[in-house]
């Protein structure tokens, strides 16, 4: 008889090969057809009634200007894991995805297509809207393909009229609180896109600039009012202030010099030149190749000389009030020295050239001392004639019209001709660039609209301290950003955005009124913000009850106002998106972006933060640490994300996300991804083995109650209870890498390498309905059920497939996480056997001995062995565990326990040496075989199974 046919081998149609790229789209189509998101929320409708059991993660809107990339995938998968966890924890956790649809990224793309000759705002806006809606559709499909659940049919779009109206109403509130003003202040200016930028819209790239040391001649004339101070300090003769700058193009806008009040300064003679600078920085000066003009022309070049102190030192405060002349502007203006706390001895000379129109610190100092805001640069980044006078020389006039960075060279030549250049070096540094045009940023004073951050800065900082920041370092990052940020420039010189609803009367007098803005918001809600561009100023004025004859402004609002008011706009349309939200989850760069803009608008308008907790993820980088983006080198093409998904499946990508310490930057390479794919296959194989061993198990009919489980089954279930606790806790702490490690270890170590292995005899060889076999299947079913639910937030496709093979017609995603059942560990005995509280357990020691015998060719399979254990442990000696349990645990044919007062030993011998014979069906060795004449080579158990076998 072929006894193989009587064995109960695993059977399942659950495929070993996942073929995720083929299976996942079919499951996605099923989810869409069955409206899985709606079903999940319906299953949690009772939880929705209680704020304690609702959870709102508010989506930060990505720009709708291209395909989704790896950064999007990382962030969206993290959000989805969080939401799926909360839903399966019994919470009502809705998700409304959103998109940032206005602003420079889209307009820049459109203008490349339309060309600079197109200036009709309606045509530009029409094309921008079409582009935004196209990429909303593209990204939506890509995010859904990743297995992300949400209200995809009703997302929030910042271009929707209702959204725009809410943004305007928040803005009206700020205007009503007198927090908005127009001013001439330096802003980050993109010469490529010809608009002001937010700090979050710049990126840093290495740039080489000329670093020059320039001499500003000190005025020492006895006719000056400050001559008494000059004389007291001994500053007579040709003494120059020595300043250092990496922006020579700003020198035409110089109006002052700043010193540090507590630094020491002195006059030094260097190569025949008398210069005043900080004593702390003189040693760092480069050698000067230039000579004093009084030296005889044609003489040999001077060798660099050591600085010789000839006057001083004095504190910087003693120099305040001294005056100097500009090195090449013959404008008749007397400039003077002021003290400033921002001057340090880190670099330069300790004297800072002040151009109030080209720097924040410069501007603030200028405001303190009544200096004009001079910024002779136009929108294209070219020098204008504002710095010229009727006495300006031709070579100075020639600077007008030159692009600022190209103007550096002629300015340096001009300084040389005036003997005002002390030294010149190359300076390599990270410099801000426009994130769209890639052109270097120009700090330039332009008349713009601002929000008075100072008016509520203290409230914003207090709100920050009331928020939970994950990681905790996020608190300091955003505190530092809010503490140091200037007033918020909110106007943009662009077409694609929400118009800044300001009118101008006679003399360009602005009219910005809360009531008018609210009326305009009502119009926008009905017709969209395009009415500002479609209607004339008089038509708008009539609709808003304003006098005729006004001019309408041409600026749009900063898009960070758009996205930064989502806390108000989304909650209006989606009442279940409560305010403040439980969680914001975005990239760490959003401390200076969306986290900050949302905080500032919310605190300014309502007095509280829009979020209770903020969780950040790092960037996806290559193995060298370089950011993987759409605008750099490396893994940069947007299509690569979907190529990855179409090659490996979304679940493998999601498992990669879960496996990473995402709060830091995440390295990506195909080798790393391949290792995660191997882990996925291991987990899938574990699920397949579990399902295969449950092919003849009906949990409704065949389940065994916990009190009747075998010893081994009880202990493995106790281990499973520990997994439930650990995974629940780490999901709640957003530590998904530990969830990954915990489940992976359980699958590979506890199940594949142990439990599934030792159960083979009981499952394959036992009688179908044997209580011990059903006990094992009951626990295996529970393991499959628990693993499927615990993995569902990370592997939504695979777990849905597994859930159906467990016999369910519902979705696993409508279920709740499992609870612990059954007894806990019997720690004393189990600890001895498995080494829970020691380095190595009895089972591991036995396995080592068996392996030694196998290497020595004494045995083949472990079932050929008999194990004798001499032990002092009373739990083993006194029969707390039956030898049959140990035989199963060690996968051997016989275990003999012998008490000893001496050395504890483990002895492995061949079962045949004890006269035992092999059962040809189960391959175990027994003292007696052949109790049935028809089956002389079978053990008693196998004989009974075979005799009763019905095929």
């Amino acid at each position: 008889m072929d006894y193989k046919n009587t064995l109960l081998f695993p059977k399942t149609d659950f495929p070993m090969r996942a073929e995720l790229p083929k299976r996942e789209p079919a499951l996605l189509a099923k989810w869409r057809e069955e409206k899985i998101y709606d079903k999940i929320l319906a299953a949690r409708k009772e939880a929705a009634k209680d704020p304690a059991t609702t959870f709102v993660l508010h989506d930060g809107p990505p720009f709708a200007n291209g395909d989704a990339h790896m950064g999007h995938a990382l962030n969206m998968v993290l959000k989805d894991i969080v939401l799926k966890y909360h839903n399966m924890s019994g919470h009502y956790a809705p998700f409304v995805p959103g998109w940032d649809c206005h602003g420079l990224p889209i307009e820049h793309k459109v203008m490349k297509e339309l060309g600079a000759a197109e200036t009709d705002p309606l045509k530009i806006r029409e094309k921008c809207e079409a582009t935004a809606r196209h990429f909303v559709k593209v990204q939506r499909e890509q995010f859904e393909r990743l297995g992300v659940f949400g209200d995809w049919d009703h997302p929030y779009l910042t271009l929707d009229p209702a959204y725009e109206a809410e943004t305007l109403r928040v803005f009206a509130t700020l205007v009503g609180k007198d927090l908005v003003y127009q001013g001439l202040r330096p802003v980050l200016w993109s010469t490529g896109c010809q608009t002001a930028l937010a700090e979050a819209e710049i990126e840093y790239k290495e740039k080489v600039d000329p670093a020059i040391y320039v001499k500003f001649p000190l005025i020492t004339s006895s006719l000056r009012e400050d001559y008494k101070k000059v004389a007291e300090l001994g500053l007579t003769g040709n003494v120059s202030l020595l300043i250092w700058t990496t922006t020579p193009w700003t020198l035409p806008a110089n109006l002052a010099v700043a010193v540090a009040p507590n630094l020491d300064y002195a006059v030094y003679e260097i190569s025949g030149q008398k210069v005043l600078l900080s004593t702390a920085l003189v040693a760092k000066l480069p050698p000067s190749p230039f000579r004093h003009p009084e030296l005889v022309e044609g003489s040999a070049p001077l060798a660099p000389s050591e600085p010789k102190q000839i006057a001083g030192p004095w504190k910087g405060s003693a120099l305040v009030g001294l005056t100097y002349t500009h090195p090449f502007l013959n404008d008749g203006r007397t400039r003077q020295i002021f003290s400033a706390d921002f001057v340090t001895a880190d670099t330069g000379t300790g004297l800072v050239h002040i151009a109030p129109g080209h720097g924040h610190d410069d501007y603030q100092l200028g405001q303190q001392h009544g200096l004009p805001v001079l910024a002779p640069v136009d929108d294209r980044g070219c020098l204008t004639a504002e710095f010229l006078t009727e006495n300006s020389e031709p070579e100075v006039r020639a600077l007008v019209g030159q692009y600022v960075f190209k103007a550096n060279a002629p300015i340096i030549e001009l300084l040389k001709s005036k003997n005002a250049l002390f030294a010149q070096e190359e300076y390599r540094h990270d410099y801000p660039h426009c994130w769209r045009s890639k052109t270097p940023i120009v700090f330039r004073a332009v008349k713009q609209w601002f929000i008075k951050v100072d008016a509520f800065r203290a409230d914003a900082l207090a709100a920050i301290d009331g928020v939970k920041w994950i990681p905790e370092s996020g608190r300091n990052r955003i505190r530092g950003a809010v503490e140091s940020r200037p007033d918020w420039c909110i106007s943009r010189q662009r077409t694609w955005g929400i118009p800044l609803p300001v009118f101008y009367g006679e003399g360009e007098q602005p009219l910005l009124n809360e009531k008018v803005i609210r009326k305009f918001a009502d119009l926008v809600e009905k017709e969209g913000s395009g009415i500002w561009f479609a209607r004339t100023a008089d038509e708008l004025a009539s609709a808003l009850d304003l006098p005729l004859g006004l001019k309408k402004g041409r600026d749009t609002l900063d898009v960070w106002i758009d996205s930064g008011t989502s806390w108000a706009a989304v909650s209006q349309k989606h009442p279940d998106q409560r305010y403040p939200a439980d969680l914001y989850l975005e990239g760490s760069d959003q401390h200076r972006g969306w986290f900050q803009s949302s905080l500032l608008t919310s605190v300014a308008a309502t007095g509280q933060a829009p979020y209770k907790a903020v969780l950040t993820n790092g960037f996806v980088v290559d193995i060298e640490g370089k950011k993987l983006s759409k605008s750099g080198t490396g893994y940069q093409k947007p299509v690569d994300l979907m190529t990855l998904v179409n090659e490996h499946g979304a679940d493998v990508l999601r498992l990669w996300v879960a496996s990473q310490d995402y709060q830091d930057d995440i390295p990506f390479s195909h080798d790393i991804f391949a290792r995660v794919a191997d882990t996925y296959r291991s987990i899938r194989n574990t699920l397949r083995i579990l399902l295969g061993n449950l092919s003849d198990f009906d949990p409704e009919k065949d389940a065994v109650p916990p009190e009747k489980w075998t010893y081994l089954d009880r202990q493995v279930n106790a281990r499973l209870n520990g997994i439930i606790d650990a995974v629940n806790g780490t999901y709640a702490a957003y530590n998904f890498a530990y969830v990954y490690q915990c489940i992976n270890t359980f699958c590979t170590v506890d199940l594949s390498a142990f439990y599934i292995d030792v159960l083979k005899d009981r499952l394959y060889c036992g009688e179908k309905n044997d209580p011990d076999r059903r006990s094992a299947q009951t626990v295996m079913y529970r393991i499959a059920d628990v693993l499927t639910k615990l993995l569902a937030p990370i592997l939504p496709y695979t777990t849905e497939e597994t859930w159906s093979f467990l016999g369910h017609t519902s979705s696993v995603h409508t279920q709740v996480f499992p609870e612990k059942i059954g007894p806990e560990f019997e720690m004393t005995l189990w600890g001895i056997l498995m080494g829970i509280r020691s380095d190595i357990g009895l089972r591991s020691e036995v396995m080592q001995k068996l392996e030694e015998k196998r290497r020595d060719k004494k045995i083949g399979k472990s079932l050929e062995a008999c194990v004798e254990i001499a032990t002092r442990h009373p739990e083993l000696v006194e029969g707390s565990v039956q030898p049959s349990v140990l035989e199963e645990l060690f996968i051997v044919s016989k275990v003999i326990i012998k008490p000893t007062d001496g050395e504890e030993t483990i002895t492995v011998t061949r079962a045949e040496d004890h006269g035992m014979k092999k059962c040809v069906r189960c391959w175990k060795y027994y003292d007696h075989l052949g109790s049935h004449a028809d089956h002389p080579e079978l053990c008693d158990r196998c004989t009974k199974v075979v005799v009763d076998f019905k095929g």
Side-chain angles (χ1 to χ4, degrees):
M1 181 177 181
D2 186 357
Y3 294 124
K4 183 179 179 181
N5 295 329
T6 68
L7 296 172
L8 300 172
F9 287 123
K11 296 178 183 178
T12 182
D13 292 328
F14 188 81
M16 183 187 310
R17 293 190 50 153
E19 296 186 302
L20 294 178
K22 182 192 299 183
R23 299 182 197 283
E24 287 176 343
L27 278 171
L28 177 58
K30 181 173 182 284
W31 285 336
R32 285 172 174 164
E33 182 182 350
E34 295 180 355
K35 299 185 182 299
I36 183 63
Y37 174 74
D38 293 341
K39 283 187 175 181
I40 292 170
L41 294 190
R44 306 289 177 264
K45 61 183 179 181
E46 289 302 315
K49 299 174 183 178
D50 184 355
T53 53
T54 59
F55 179 85
V56 173
L57 187 160
H58 181 46
D59 188 30
F63 279 115
N65 68 320
D67 287 83
H69 53 70
M70 288 295 288
H72 289 133
L74 167 66
N75 183 252
M76 265 297 182
V77 169
L78 287 172
K79 289 174 181 173
D80 191 57
I81 292 173
V82 170
L83 289 160
K84 282 185 167 74
Y85 157 70
H86 276 283
N87 269 313
M88 295 190 72
S89 296
H91 295 153
Y92 180 77
F95 180 59
V96 179
W99 277 272
D100 206 346
C101 302
H102 289 138
L104 191 55
I106 294 168
E107 187 170 350
H108 185 70
K109 181 189 288 284
V110 165
M111 292 311 296
K112 277 187 173 181
E113 297 175 13
L114 296 179
E118 182 57 77
T119 58
D120 184 342
L122 294 178
K123 289 183 180 179
I124 294 171
R125 287 176 63 86
E126 181 182 1
K127 179 68 172 174
C128 285
E129 179 172 349
T131 299
R133 291 191 181 278
H134 167 72
F135 282 112
V136 165
K137 182 176 182 294
V138 168
Q139 289 186 17
R140 167 190 163 163
E141 291 174 352
Q142 292 169 338
F143 293 151
E144 283 193 90
R145 177 65 184 84
L146 294 177
V148 178
F149 292 168
D151 193 357
W152 296 109
D153 292 332
H154 307 97
Y156 78 86
L157 309 179
T158 60
L159 59 71
D160 282 345
Y163 188 104
E164 294 175 322
E166 284 306 316
T167 295
L168 287 166
R169 289 176 184 125
V170 173
F171 181 61
T173 299
L174 305 191
V175 170
K177 292 185 174 185
D178 194 28
L179 295 175
V180 180
Y181 70 95
Q182 187 182 44
L184 181 65
R185 302 178 60 125
V187 298
L188 299 164
W189 186 266
S190 168
T191 60
C193 295
Q194 297 183 30
T195 184
L197 295 179
E199 185 184 352
E201 295 171 328
I202 63 173
E203 57 190 17
Y204 284 83
K205 296 181 182 179
E206 188 177 84
K207 188 174 185 291
V208 178
D209 282 313
I212 59 173
Y213 294 80
V214 183
K215 295 183 290 183
F216 285 5
L218 196 63
I219 298 175
T220 59
S221 169
S222 60
L223 301 177
R224 292 284 303 164
E225 292 179 3
D226 57 354
Y227 180 72
K228 183 178 180 182
K229 175 178 276 195
V230 169
E232 287 174 354
L233 298 174
L235 291 170
T236 56
N238 295 319
V239 177
S240 295
L241 307 177
L242 191 63
I243 68 97
W244 176 82
T245 182
T246 60
T247 54
W249 62 266
T250 63
L251 288 174
N254 173 267
L255 295 178
V257 165
V259 295
N262 296 317
L263 277 182
D264 289 325
Y265 294 83
V267 176
Y268 295 88
E269 185 171 350
I270 307 172
S271 300
Q273 304 168 87
K274 297 176 182 178
V275 290
L276 188 154
L277 70 154
S278 168
T279 59
L281 290 161
V282 65
K284 297 181 179 180
L285 281 179
S288 175
F290 305 107
R291 299 180 298 168
H292 194 276
E294 292 179 2
L295 296 173
V296 178
E297 187 171 347
S299 60
L302 284 172
S305 62
E306 289 296 320
K308 178 183 177 183
Q309 184 175 322
I310 59 175
W314 318 277
K315 291 296 182 186
S317 55
L319 305 177
V320 172
L322 294 179
T323 57
Y324 68 94
T325 58
H326 195 282
F328 60 78
L329 292 184
N330 187 16
D331 57 5
R333 183 193 296 272
T334 298
R335 296 159 168 84
Q336 77 174 68
I337 296 176
F338 300 107
S339 70
D341 291 336
F342 58 78
V343 181
T344 69
D346 294 337
T347 55
T349 65
L351 291 97
V352 175
H353 134 64
I354 299 299
H358 293 294
H360 175 65
D361 289 335
D362 304 48
Y363 171 82
Q364 295 292 349
L365 187 67
Q367 291 297 291
Q368 291 172 24
H369 297 286
L371 300 178
V373 182
L374 175 63
V377 177
D378 65 16
D379 291 356
R380 298 171 300 124
C382 297
L383 291 170
T384 66
E386 289 177 72
F387 64 90
L388 298 179
T389 68
E390 58 183 17
N391 298 321
S392 297
E393 299 169 339
E395 56 267 38
V396 176
R397 292 181 179 276
L399 297 174
V400 175
Q402 295 203 40
Y403 181 56
V404 290
F405 296 105
K406 290 185 177 180
N408 284 334
I411 287 174
I412 291 170
E413 290 304 312
L414 188 57
L415 291 169
K416 288 180 183 178
S417 72
K418 300 293 184 182
N419 190 45
L421 187 66
F422 177 84
Q424 176 182 352
E425 298 176 310
E426 276 193 352
Y427 185 66
R428 192 177 299 274
H429 60 147
D430 287 335
Y431 189 85
H433 288 66
C434 173
W435 64 339
R436 289 299 142 190
S437 66
K438 310 304 177 187
T439 51
I441 292 298
V442 171
F443 295 91
R444 171 190 178 223
V446 189
K447 189 173 278 191
Q448 300 282 354
W449 288 91
F450 298 87
I451 290 176
K452 298 176 185 175
V453 176
D454 264 341
F456 57 92
R457 192 187 307 274
D459 293 336
L461 293 171
I464 288 170
D465 289 338
V467 172
K468 182 177 182 181
W469 299 90
I470 311 168
E472 179 62 28
S473 58
R475 182 188 311 277
N476 290 333
R477 288 191 66 175
I478 195 165
R479 275 193 71 90
V482 172
E483 282 174 340
S484 62
R485 75 160 297 144
D487 284 352
W488 183 356
C489 176
I490 58 168
S491 47
R492 296 291 181 269
Q493 292 63 55
R494 306 306 302 175
T495 300
W496 180 231
I498 299 175
L500 203 162
V502 59
F503 291 87
Y504 296 91
E506 190 174 343
E508 294 297 309
Q509 188 66 28
L511 190 161
L512 191 68
N513 179 280
E514 179 183 8
K515 290 183 179 179
V516 172
I517 298 172
R518 292 191 183 280
K519 286 183 180 178
F520 179 63
D522 293 340
L523 290 177
V524 167
E525 189 162 15
K526 296 175 183 176
E527 302 183 46
S529 64
I531 59 171
W532 185 265
F533 302 91
R535 297 189 186 184
T536 65
D538 282 349
E539 288 172 337
L540 286 169
S542 296
L544 299 173
D545 298 326
L546 292 172
L548 303 182
L550 300 172
K551 286 198 318 183
K552 60 181 178 178
R554 300 176 62 183
D555 293 341
T556 53
L557 284 169
D558 178 10
V559 290
W560 291 101
I561 293 281
D562 289 26
S563 59
T565 53
S566 60
W567 54 266
V570 177
S571 61
Q572 284 294 316
K573 186 176 179 181
H574 301 269
D576 57 5
Q577 294 290 294
R578 69 182 178 199
Y579 167 84
D582 293 288
L583 185 67
Y584 276 31
L585 195 174
E586 301 298 331
S588 56
D589 57 334
Q590 296 307 316
H591 289 106
R592 65 179 185 138
W594 188 57
F595 298 154
Q596 188 180 157
S597 64
S598 299
L599 175 80
L600 295 180
T601 58
S602 180
V603 170
T606 72
Q608 66 175 330
Y611 34 67
K612 298 176 184 177
V614 172
L615 174 62
T616 55
N617 61 262
F619 296 111
V620 182
V621 297
D622 63 19
I623 55 175
E624 295 178 352
K626 296 178 182 177
K627 182 179 175 183
L628 302 183
S629 67
K630 295 188 291 181
S631 57
T633 58
Y635 188 90
Q636 58 178 327
K637 298 178 182 177
V639 71
D640 281 349
L641 166 64
M642 299 316 297
T643 299
L644 203 64
V645 171
N646 291 333
E647 287 179 358
H648 299 278
D651 269 3
V652 176
L653 178 83
R654 293 175 67 102
L655 191 64
W656 168 75
V657 171
S659 71
Q660 302 299 306
D661 180 7
Y662 65 85
Q663 293 178 18
D664 290 325
D665 287 348
I666 300 174
F668 175 88
S669 71
H670 289 286
D671 287 343
I672 292 172
F673 202 78
R675 288 196 290 272
V676 174
D678 287 342
T679 301
Y680 171 81
R681 282 188 285 272
S682 173
I683 292 172
R684 183 180 181 89
N685 189 53
T686 299
L687 294 172
R688 184 173 184 272
I689 291 171
L690 291 170
L691 291 170
N693 281 297
L694 296 171
S695 60
D696 61 356
F697 179 77
D698 183 342
E700 297 296 323
K701 299 176 182 177
D702 302 325
V704 175
E707 61 272 15
K708 293 185 178 181
W709 290 347
T710 70
Y711 174 80
L712 176 60
D713 296 335
R714 290 199 305 272
Q715 303 316 304
V716 170
N717 180 73
R719 170 74 172 123
L720 183 65
N721 284 340
I723 296 294
I724 292 171
D725 273 346
V727 168
N728 264 302
T730 48
Y731 265 129
Y734 307 127
N735 186 357
F736 308 132
Y738 186 80
V739 173
Y740 166 87
Q741 293 165 9
C742 192
I743 293 179
N744 184 36
T745 300
F746 182 67
C747 287
T748 56
V749 177
D750 295 88
L751 296 182
S752 295
F754 170 55
Y755 189 54
I756 291 172
D757 198 27
V758 302
L759 283 183
K760 287 178 181 177
D761 179 74
R762 211 193 311 173
L763 291 169
Y764 302 173
C765 303
E767 192 271 326
K768 177 179 178 180
N769 292 311
D770 179 80
D772 286 353
R773 183 173 184 272
R774 291 305 192 193
S775 170
Q777 287 182 308
T778 302
V779 173
M780 289 186 101
Y781 182 88
R782 174 161 163 72
I783 292 170
D785 177 271
V786 167
L787 284 180
T788 303
K789 290 174 180 175
L790 293 182
L791 281 167
I794 296 173
L795 303 176
Y797 290 106
T798 302
T799 53
E800 190 76 297
E801 184 184 8
T802 306
W803 191 246
S804 68
F805 273 89
L806 282 170
H808 301 288
T809 56
S810 62
S811 169
V812 68
H813 301 293
T814 62
Q815 307 303 305
V816 294
F817 271 174
E819 296 182 355
K820 298 189 297 181
I821 65 170
E824 296 302 314
F825 281 124
E826 297 169 19
M827 286 303 301
T828 303
L829 178 58
W830 192 246
I832 294 169
L833 296 175
M834 303 304 292
I836 292 174
R837 291 180 177 171
S838 61
D839 292 335
I840 188 168
L842 181 60
R843 182 174 190 271
S844 295
E845 292 184 273
V846 169
M847 293 297 136
Q848 288 178 9
K849 294 290 185 180
L850 289 169
E851 184 59 31
E852 290 172 8
K853 292 295 183 181
R854 193 177 288 112
R855 284 199 305 268
D856 294 342
K857 309 292 186 182
K858 299 296 184 182
I859 62 171
K861 297 183 181 298
S862 61
L863 286 174
E864 297 174 13
C866 173
V867 175
E868 183 177 295
I869 301 171
T871 179
R872 293 190 298 269
H873 286 296
E875 292 83 2
L876 295 175
V877 173
E878 294 172 6
S880 296
V881 60
Q882 295 296 317
S884 59
V885 172
L886 299 180
E887 290 164 7
E888 181 178 55
L889 194 64
F890 304 151
I891 319 179
V892 296
S893 289
K894 191 168 188 176
V895 173
I896 302 169
I897 302 293
K898 289 187 175 181
T900 182
D901 293 328
E903 182 183 0
E904 294 187 311
T905 60
I906 298 172
T907 305
V908 175
T909 55
R910 288 169 52 87
E912 289 181 338
D913 294 343
H914 295 267
M916 301 175 73
K917 297 178 181 179
K918 178 182 178 181
C919 172
V920 298
R921 181 173 177 273
C922 68
W923 293 7
K924 288 182 70 175
Y925 285 73
Y926 293 89
D927 293 327
H928 303 285
L929 297 178
S931 59
H932 194 291
D934 292 339
H935 307 287
E937 295 181 291
L938 296 188
C939 65
D940 290 348
R941 179 193 61 173
C942 288
T943 298
K944 183 177 186 307
V945 172
V946 170
V947 169
D948 295 341
F949 182 70
K950 294 185 169 68

